[in-house]
Amino acid sequence: MLNMKGQLRWYGGGVAKTQEPSCSIERSLGVLGERWTFLILREAFLGVTRFAEFRDRLGVAPDVLSGRLATLVAHGVMEREPYQEQGARSRSAYLLTPAGRELLLILSALQQWGDEHLPRAEGPTMLRRVKGTDSPVHVGYVDEAGREVGAGDFVMVPADGYPG
């Protein structure tokens, strides 16, 4: 993100840095790693678009919600779309962009991990199913041929841009 002087400024964890991190995980966390962000995205995937709906469903403070939504808009995860109810002032709806919709995979992986490693006695709050069926799905790794690869059967290999 450029500041008023045209200098690159990176905002991650509430701290302004002068250079964008080279690690894509660190850059992603700079946008998505704040408290409430993934819960806002969860609600957006469930169809919530309006500020008051996010605030009421999550119980998040308005200033915090405003900041999180601004970050998601600034980084292309969500976009504002004006709407106006009859007799009221114009407001913004917050809609997921294509990049934002790709985050469903990450939310699903977090949910799958939580269901497995931090289960509730009442069971899961959401089920992942193939659209139009009752067939369960899970998040996993898939190779170029479309075959699932087990978590123990792949490695992460540092590339030329790795900061270490």
Side-chain angles (χ1 to χ4, degrees):
M1 181 181 290
L2 297 178
N3 66 13
M4 298 301 281
K5 296 179 182 177
Q7 299 168 316
L8 182 63
R9 303 291 285 172
W10 183 253
Y11 296 93
V15 177
K17 302 176 183 179
T18 56
Q19 187 175 19
E20 180 178 73
S22 59
C23 175
S24 54
I25 295 171
E26 187 177 353
R27 288 191 313 276
S28 298
L29 287 174
V31 175
L32 304 169
E34 296 282 336
R35 184 172 180 193
W36 297 106
T37 300
F38 277 112
L39 299 178
I40 292 167
L41 292 170
R42 178 196 65 198
E43 295 304 316
F45 280 110
L46 293 173
V48 173
T49 61
R50 297 180 178 185
F51 186 93
E53 291 177 293
F54 285 114
R55 183 194 64 221
D56 294 346
R57 288 178 72 154
L58 295 171
V60 60
D63 60 326
V64 172
L65 177 58
S66 182
R68 298 304 180 272
L69 289 170
T71 297
L72 293 170
V73 169
H75 291 279
V77 175
M78 298 183 95
E79 59 189 2
R80 285 187 180 100
E81 182 177 286
Y83 74 92
Q84 187 171 10
E85 294 177 353
Q86 191 169 357
R89 68 180 174 91
S90 180
R91 298 177 184 264
S92 293
Y94 295 88
L95 306 171
L96 291 164
T97 64
R101 287 190 293 275
E102 289 179 18
L103 292 169
L104 182 57
L105 180 69
I106 294 169
L107 286 174
S108 295
L110 284 170
Q111 183 212 9
Q112 180 175 296
W113 185 89
D115 288 348
E116 183 175 334
H117 298 287
L118 304 169
R120 297 176 61 227
E122 302 87 352
T125 56
M126 300 258 191
L127 300 174
R128 293 169 306 281
R129 298 288 186 249
V130 174
K131 191 182 277 188
T133 76
D134 198 31
S135 298
V137 295
H138 65 272
V139 178
Y141 300 97
V142 178
D143 68 14
E144 290 181 354
R147 295 179 301 252
E148 186 166 350
V149 177
D153 294 327
F154 85 99
V155 295
M156 292 180 67
V157 180
D160 291 341
Y162 184 72

